[in-house]
Each structure stands twice: as C-alpha cells, then as structure tokens.
Amino acid sequence: MNKQRVSNLLGLAQRAGKIISGEEMVVKAIQEQKAKLVFLAHDAAPNLTKKIQDKSHYYQVKVVTVFSTLELSIAVGKSRKVLAVTDAGFTKKMRSLME
C-alpha cells in the first residue's frame, strides 16, 4: 500500500471539502450514509475505536486503520483521530492505492 499517496489524497480531499473529521461528525456522516470510507488512527482510544468500528460495520462502511493519529493529523493539517471521506471519486482512488 502506498501510504504517502493516500496521505496526499487525504490532504487534497480536505482542501476540496470532501473530508468530515472529528468523532461526532464522523459518526453522524456514517449514519447519514455520507461517509464512503473512514480512516481511524490505529492508536485511537479503545472506546472511540469500538464506536467507529461498530457504526461502520452496521452501515457497511470500510474502516482503514493504517495511519497513526500523527499521520492523519499531518495529512489534513489539524489534529484528528478519525476522518470520513464523503466523495466517491476520492474513495475510489484511495481504495485502488490500498489494494
């Protein structure tokens, strides 16, 4: 998997306004089925991890846990543990890079 390219795409998606970040906002995006792909930091707190994974599983949204909090934060330019990508185009490109 090309982490650097996925990280760059996260930055582009953020600037394009196609990223929802922050725990409550991401949960809401998953429930409203706006989230196409969720990035969860592998070092996030257990309760956050469980909440996001349970919601994502229920609504059938893929959760990616390859990045640390620091890596996700650098990618989008603000401190974040969880991100949701809302754009199908970005999601498709990220998935292809991760395969």
Side-chain angles (χ1 to χ4, degrees):
M1 180 188 136
N2 193 329
K3 281 175 80 172
Q4 189 54 54
R5 288 193 54 204
V6 174
S7 178
N8 292 347
L9 273 175
L10 280 171
L12 280 174
Q14 169 73 23
R15 289 191 289 284
K18 305 294 184 187
I19 296 261
I20 293 175
S21 62
E23 181 181 342
E24 296 309 319
M25 299 293 281
V26 169
V27 168
K28 191 163 172 264
I30 294 168
Q31 288 169 326
E32 292 172 358
Q33 306 197 335
K34 288 179 184 161
K36 310 268 185 262
L37 186 61
V38 173
F39 285 86
L40 176 67
H42 57 69
D43 54 356
N47 57 342
L48 172 63
T49 301
K50 183 177 177 354
K51 183 197 245 180
I52 297 295
Q53 286 180 329
D54 289 351
K55 278 277 180 263
S56 298
H57 180 73
Y58 183 80
Y59 290 98
Q60 318 221 312
V61 180
K62 182 172 167 63
V63 178
V64 181
T65 56
V66 295
F67 294 106
S68 66
T69 302
L70 183 63
E71 289 168 326
L72 281 180
S73 301
I74 289 170
V76 297
K78 49 189 166 186
S79 180
R80 290 291 181 259
K81 291 189 189 320
V82 62
L83 306 169
V85 182
T86 58
D87 180 79
F90 277 113
T91 301
K92 191 175 171 199
K93 184 77 181 137
M94 288 172 186
R95 281 177 184 263
S96 75
L97 287 170
M98 289 185 288
E99 275 163 12

